[in-house]
Amino acid sequence: MHIQSQRSALAGLALAGLAAAGALAPTAAAAEEPKRGGVLKFYHRDSPASASIHEESTYSTNAPFMAIFNNLVMYKQDEPQNTLDSIVPDLATNWAWSDDKTRLTFKLREGVKWHDGKPFTAKDVKCTWDMLQGKAKDSFRKNPREAWYGNVKEVAVKGDFEVAFQLSRPQPALLALLASGYTPVYPCHVSTRDMRVKPVGTGPFKFVEFKANESIKLVRNPDYWKKGRPYLDGVEFTIIPNRSTRVLGFIAGRFDITFPIDITVPVLKDVQAQVPNAICKLVPMNVSTNLIVNREVAPFDNADIRRAMALAIDRKAFVDILSEGKNDVGGAMLPPPEGVWGMPPEYLRTVAGYSPDVGKSRAEARAIMEKLGYGPDKRLKVKVSTRNIDIYRDPAVILIDQLKTIYIDGELEVIETSNWHAKVSRKDYSVGLNLTGSAVDDPDQNFYENYACSSERNFTQYCNKELETLFDKQSMETDQKKRKEMVWEIDKKLQEDVARPIIFHGRQATCWHPYVKGYTAMVNSSYNGYRFEDVWLDK
Amino acid sequence: MGAYLVRRSFLMILTLFGISVIIFVLLRLVPGNIVDILFDAAGMVNPREKLKIERELGLDRPLPVQYLTWISGLAQGDFGYSYVSEKPALEEIGPRIPVTAKLAVLALVVSVLLGVPLGVVSAVRQNTPTDYVLRVLSLSGLSIPAFWLGLLILMACVAWFGAIPIYTEPPASLWDELLLLSVPAAAVGFRSSALIMRLTRSSMLEVLRQDYIRTARAKGAAPRSVNYEHAFANAILPVVTVIGIEAAFLIGGLIVTETVFNIPGVARYLVESIRWRDYPIVQNLVMLIAVVVVVVNFAVDLLYVVLDPRIKYSG
């Protein structure tokens, strides 16, 4: 058995590189003595569907409720970049892999109590994963991450404080999934319904109330197992759906911090002009804007036409228009330096469709279209469907403009936001513009969730069994350098197969007043950095 | 009068029944239901889980059965459960009603206090600089959208006072609450006051040209008495009608204003509930608003009798 303890030299190098790039600049807070007390006031962008993290797929739920819970392991909260090497113990005190890497054993922390006073034991861990795998009697109303644990055969309990995950095949990156903010341990004795409305956890803050469309309030857990934490007396989220109102609220000092990555590039300028001393971090959201093409609907069932569409994309134009050059161009995985697994620029340039010579790519695309019988006098008319939110609509308009260059006349079809996923899941579209968020910067999450043949989130129904074998191979690879090369190869293939052409990866900012200390904006995930146990107010 | 009241009451019930059918059908005609939206938040759709939730919520039952279940529950005071919060609908709607009611009353007070006197002044001083200024003011009130005016107010407050009058936590006292609500009430009331001002002005001008006003002036009655006792009393009737209608339309203006000023009232909640297809909340809230509108209209009709003794209602 190999006990995880040291960080790899590779990760150290990567982090050093990032620090040099300024993304991981250490905060002054590290040198200061934290003060106790105060309530951290956020605004929230919308009212989450429920308080149950396991049942939702939006960081609108993670951000306010993650601090109620603990995971088995978690990403170090003061390190902006989530990597396999930034995973630290949480409810597990340590973990160990079997030699064949198919059994992951956790020793659990003793003396931990749920917020209702009941003791935490290994049974709670088993219970949680039984529910996640659909094996428990009390099931989740929705279970969006069931697929994450497809490789987990069984969760076995040994005594009250040891638990082992038995896997079908080696999967070192299972730890990355377990460390996500999406993976809290739930109590066995609380029903899933109650977890949706008044969650009980073991975390640094206890749930006080969730008034839909109004506010979410958490209060310090005085019995938190991590002595001396948290510093804050509480955390409050005021729900303000109107963007102008909430940003003005932050500017006026009504809130200590904005909702995470809520500030767009144009709004950031305003905020910095009006609150010059605010600390703002513009970070990748690990959300890609991508083109989805329904490969079952004619004429898009023809691979050539899909390829022509991918060749027509001028990614730099999207980035320049929408974010003043701040967004990033990449493949399925978030590009470096913030992204751990993304193709580096020199590699990316070798991928078809990513050439800086857009004119040449479009000429090639036009030739394909002409071969298929289209031309200036016979243009292909198509509806480009997208969600009725500006971050979807704006790029869709640019996409329509760019498709015109290859004889495709797109008409914008705006879908009411609440019906968007239902529509694309039904495959009731021809061409669409979609956004895909990744909770964990790891290929195991991204590839299986978005590109596996049987995945519910594979909206384009791209299915390549050979590539799926490669998904498994990279997942089993323990050498991270080798794994990275395999991931690049897969990512290149996904882009060249026009599985779901990635247009860009977005960046948005979080801003806070200088008296907020100990808050770290994560740079490669929007889902994992909301434990708030190290945050304090220098007031 | 008694027969008239009975007839109007019967008509009120018939109207409310019609509204209940319309809102029920319209909600079902809107694409998607709560389950689609719950899965939208999950970023995927699992048909098996979707069917299970639809069954739990009774959405798989025939529409007439769903309607009868709702309406019979409503008749017995059972408002059902919110699909989203899983709390009793009344528990969700109840605390929000007083907030909106206070805001609506304040906005109505602002609109009447501004609209009626300024309309009278504008008419009495027709074609003078005062009239021109007031007419421009009323036109701007009609043409500036409430949300834009609201945002301008917020921006001005932040720029000039470094503070923002939005609702982030329950006010400590009634006075604080009224103070907080006065800004959004002014934003909403300004638009309504513009309409009332224009109507009061034209109604006054019409009355001021009547023979009996000329006679009163010829008799040597004081201008104040002519304008405010003789003319105003007769000009106010159509204004009251509009105030009644405005009271109903105010809900529409409040939706935007409650959103901009982040007020946790029923108007904003209604929009959110429609977005979530939270049928029990939307249906019951619309019925509640319908009851208010129907009752206000009824009250306005009765007020005519008080304001104009010549009006008599018969069965």
Side-chain angles (χ1 to χ4, degrees):
Chain A
M1 305 253 281
H2 165 72
I3 304 284
Q4 182 78 25
S5 58
Q6 296 290 317
R7 294 192 186 154
S8 72
L10 182 72
L13 280 174
L15 290 175
L18 270 175
L24 303 182
T27 57
E32 296 173 61
E33 183 65 27
K35 290 179 184 166
R36 293 193 171 277
V39 174
L40 180 67
K41 292 188 176 179
F42 278 88
Y43 66 69
H44 198 304
R45 61 179 186 165
D46 63 1
S47 198
S50 81
S52 179
I53 290 176
H54 280 305
E55 298 195 37
E56 308 301 339
S57 275
T58 163
Y59 82 109
S60 286
T61 302
N62 278 47
F65 297 113
M66 184 179 153
I68 292 174
F69 297 99
N70 288 114
N71 293 10
L72 286 171
V73 291
M74 70 167 175
Y75 288 107
K76 205 161 179 291
Q77 294 292 290
D78 59 354
E79 261 184 39
Q81 193 186 40
N82 300 164
T83 69
L84 276 172
D85 300 295
S86 70
I87 295 171
V88 292
D90 203 13
L91 282 175
T93 52
N94 62 43
W95 62 90
W97 284 102
S98 63
D99 291 338
D100 65 354
K101 299 278 188 285
T102 58
R103 192 173 176 87
L104 178 59
T105 305
F106 293 96
K107 294 273 186 216
L108 303 180
R109 206 170 289 281
E110 296 184 28
V112 175
K113 282 196 163 66
W114 294 101
H115 293 158
D116 58 7
K118 295 210 164 55
F120 156 76
T121 68
K123 277 184 197 149
D124 294 305
V125 179
K126 181 169 172 53
C127 237
T128 304
W129 268 269
D130 281 353
M131 282 194 288
L132 282 167
Q133 294 186 288
K135 294 177 186 170
K137 204 174 168 188
D138 184 15
S139 59
F140 291 128
R141 194 159 73 163
K142 293 173 287 169
N143 192 2
R145 280 170 296 283
E146 188 176 359
W148 279 19
Y149 307 104
N151 185 36
V152 177
K153 269 205 298 202
E154 187 199 11
V155 176
V157 168
K158 190 178 165 192
D160 275 351
F161 299 104
E162 188 177 307
V163 71
F165 284 64
Q166 183 63 50
L167 311 182
S168 305
R169 58 162 175 78
Q171 189 188 7
L174 179 67
L175 268 177
L177 306 179
L178 298 181
S180 165
Y182 266 153
T183 322
V185 179
Y186 271 18
C188 267
H189 61 278
V190 181
S191 71
T192 51
R193 186 201 171 275
D194 281 352
M195 291 301 282
R196 287 195 291 272
V197 293
K198 43 180 181 183
V200 173
T202 54
F205 293 94
K206 295 205 271 192
F207 175 83
V208 178
E209 65 173 8
F210 169 24
K211 285 189 186 168
N213 299 304
E214 275 188 54
S215 62
I216 297 162
K217 288 181 182 168
L218 313 181
V219 68
R220 183 174 190 270
N221 174 12
D223 303 319
Y224 189 42
W225 54 268
K226 199 179 275 187
K227 294 298 165 210
R229 297 287 199 287
Y231 299 120
L232 297 165
D233 288 337
V235 184
E236 286 182 11
F237 291 82
T238 302
I239 297 165
I240 307 183
N242 186 289
R243 185 189 290 273
S244 308
T245 306
R246 61 189 191 236
V247 174
L248 281 170
F250 173 75
I251 291 169
R254 189 67 77 92
F255 304 105
D256 305 316
I257 182 166
T258 66
F259 191 67
I261 54 165
D262 186 54
I263 305 294
T264 60
V265 171
V267 175
L268 180 60
K269 275 184 171 175
D270 272 355
V271 173
Q272 286 178 322
Q274 295 189 61
V275 196
N277 64 346
I279 297 163
C280 292
K281 297 278 181 193
L282 184 72
V283 296
M285 301 182 285
N286 206 347
V287 174
S288 71
T289 297
N290 47 70
L291 169 67
I292 52 173
V293 183
N294 189 342
R295 48 188 65 218
E296 287 186 349
V297 175
F300 304 104
D301 51 351
N302 184 330
D304 287 340
I305 206 165
R306 297 197 300 268
R307 184 174 148 71
M309 291 168 84
L311 285 169
I313 297 170
D314 179 358
R315 291 176 171 82
K316 189 174 179 303
F318 276 92
V319 169
D320 289 345
I321 295 167
L322 295 170
S323 69
E324 300 171 20
K326 298 285 194 296
N327 290 337
D328 302 295
V329 174
M333 299 305 299
L334 183 70
E338 289 92 344
V340 178
W341 302 98
M343 294 179 276
E346 64 279 6
Y347 191 95
L348 195 63
R349 275 194 287 274
T350 67
V351 181
Y354 281 81
S355 161
D357 189 350
V358 177
K360 192 178 160 198
S361 297
R362 284 185 178 164
E364 192 186 334
R366 278 192 292 272
I368 294 170
M369 292 297 284
E370 282 159 11
K371 207 171 139 193
L372 293 170
Y374 297 101
D377 303 325
K378 192 192 171 196
R379 301 176 71 86
L380 173 61
K381 291 196 186 308
V382 64
K383 275 190 179 164
V384 177
S385 311
T386 201
R387 200 172 182 172
N388 193 15
I389 308 179
D390 50 2
I391 52 169
Y392 284 70
R393 272 192 325 258
D394 296 350
V397 170
I398 300 172
L399 177 69
I400 288 170
D401 184 58
Q402 295 194 359
L403 290 177
K404 279 182 189 156
T405 61
I406 59 161
Y407 317 127
I408 296 177
D409 287 340
E411 182 195 336
L412 186 66
E413 184 192 28
V414 177
I415 309 299
E416 197 213 347
T417 180
S418 33
N419 289 319
W420 173 244
H421 280 111
K423 187 179 172 79
V424 292
S425 292
R426 284 197 309 271
K427 313 290 180 287
D428 178 19
Y429 73 98
S430 298
V431 175
L433 186 127
N434 190 42
L435 265 69
T436 304
S438 292
V440 180
D441 185 17
D442 191 278
D444 275 16
Q445 184 264 317
N446 195 332
F447 290 165
Y448 288 107
E449 200 166 291
N450 299 310
Y451 302 99
C453 299
S454 59
S455 169
E456 280 157 351
R457 295 186 66 160
N458 181 353
F459 300 130
T460 62
Q461 287 185 310
Y462 169 79
C463 182
N464 184 335
K465 290 286 181 192
E466 272 177 40
L467 208 61
E468 264 192 57
T469 314
L470 284 179
F471 291 175
D472 289 346
K473 266 191 179 169
Q474 66 77 28
S475 174
M476 289 188 280
E477 181 56 61
T478 50
D479 182 328
Q480 297 303 294
K481 189 168 180 291
K482 275 190 198 161
R483 187 180 177 215
K484 198 175 268 188
E485 282 162 8
M486 292 165 85
V487 169
W488 293 350
E489 191 192 326
I490 293 168
D491 204 345
K492 181 176 183 178
K493 180 76 178 152
L494 286 172
Q495 302 317 312
E496 291 184 342
D497 277 0
V498 196
R500 183 190 295 208
I502 306 297
I503 301 173
F504 62 84
H505 288 262
R507 278 178 187 252
Q508 286 189 188
T510 309
C511 294
W512 57 90
H513 291 288
Y515 57 80
V516 176
K517 308 284 185 181
Y519 178 80
T520 303
M522 302 271 173
V523 298
N524 59 342
S525 171
S526 319
Y527 298 83
N528 306 329
Y530 310 117
R531 185 60 62 76
F532 306 137
E533 60 189 25
D534 302 316
V535 179
W536 55 282
L537 299 175
D538 189 14
K539 272 185 171 175
Chain B
M1 186 71 175
Y4 170 78
L5 287 178
V6 171
R7 192 168 62 89
R8 278 299 299 261
S9 302
F10 174 73
L11 278 173
M12 273 166 62
I13 292 167
L14 206 64
T15 307
L16 291 174
F17 168 72
I19 291 168
S20 74
V21 174
I22 290 169
I23 185 61
F24 182 88
V25 172
L26 280 182
L27 264 179
R28 266 72 183 175
L29 285 177
V30 178
N33 62 19
I34 174 74
V35 191
D36 290 315
I37 290 147
L38 286 175
F39 276 104
D40 191 72
M44 41 71 85
V45 178
N46 179 318
R48 181 175 45 84
E49 289 173 355
K50 185 180 171 193
L51 207 66
K52 195 178 137 206
I53 305 174
E54 282 179 339
R55 200 167 294 142
E56 272 173 25
L57 298 175
L59 296 172
D60 60 331
R61 291 187 294 171
L63 288 184
V65 176
Q66 288 184 43
Y67 176 78
L68 284 175
T69 308
W70 166 52
I71 216 73
S72 60
L74 196 62
Q76 294 166 52
D78 176 7
F79 284 64
Y81 273 75
S82 160
Y83 291 161
V84 180
S85 69
E86 302 182 60
K87 289 179 190 162
L90 206 57
E91 206 177 287
E92 288 287 0
I93 298 170
R96 290 173 162 95
I97 292 173
V99 178
T100 299
K102 282 174 207 159
L103 181 58
V105 170
L106 267 179
L108 202 62
V109 168
V110 169
S111 62
V112 173
L113 287 183
L114 272 179
V116 175
L118 293 181
V120 172
V121 170
S122 185
V124 172
R125 302 190 181 179
Q126 190 190 7
N127 296 333
T128 64
T130 311
D131 182 31
Y132 297 143
V133 170
L134 290 175
R135 280 159 71 182
V136 169
L137 201 68
S138 69
L139 267 179
S140 65
L142 285 174
S143 48
I144 295 176
F147 78 92
W148 192 65
L149 181 63
L151 278 177
L152 282 184
I153 293 172
L154 289 185
M155 287 165 80
C157 288
V158 172
W160 294 335
F161 310 115
I164 185 165
I166 57 170
Y167 194 111
T168 51
E169 52 197 47
S173 65
L174 181 66
W175 173 246
D176 285 347
E177 188 173 9
L178 291 178
L179 215 59
L180 182 71
L181 293 180
S182 62
V183 182
V188 183
F190 179 55
R191 197 209 71 86
S192 298
S193 74
L195 186 70
I196 292 170
M197 191 196 303
R198 289 184 73 79
L199 196 84
T200 308
R201 180 180 181 276
S202 59
S203 183
M204 276 291 285
L205 285 176
E206 198 182 322
V207 173
L208 287 170
R209 290 186 192 115
Q210 299 284 321
D211 289 345
Y212 72 91
I213 296 292
R214 202 174 303 124
T215 309
R217 284 195 178 123
K219 276 197 325 184
R224 193 180 182 81
S225 163
V226 172
N227 291 335
Y228 300 106
E229 286 172 27
H230 297 278
F232 180 67
N234 287 294
I236 197 68
L237 208 60
V239 179
V240 170
T241 311
V242 169
I243 291 171
I245 295 167
E246 272 301 296
F249 272 95
L250 216 55
I251 297 289
L254 290 184
I255 289 169
V256 178
T257 309
E258 284 187 354
T259 305
V260 171
F261 288 88
N262 202 46
I263 294 162
V266 281
R268 180 181 141 199
Y269 187 51
L270 178 61
V271 176
E272 282 297 308
S273 302
I274 292 170
R275 190 169 72 83
W276 282 97
R277 311 286 190 277
D278 197 346
Y279 296 158
I281 298 288
V282 179
Q283 288 167 181
N284 292 322
L285 255 180
V286 170
M287 284 309 290
L288 192 76
I289 293 167
V291 169
V292 171
V293 172
V294 167
V295 169
V296 166
N297 274 320
F298 186 40
V300 167
D301 285 352
L302 292 182
L303 203 60
Y304 288 162
V305 183
V306 179
L307 292 172
D308 189 345
R310 290 170 298 178
I311 296 174
K312 293 265 188 296
Y313 291 125
S314 61

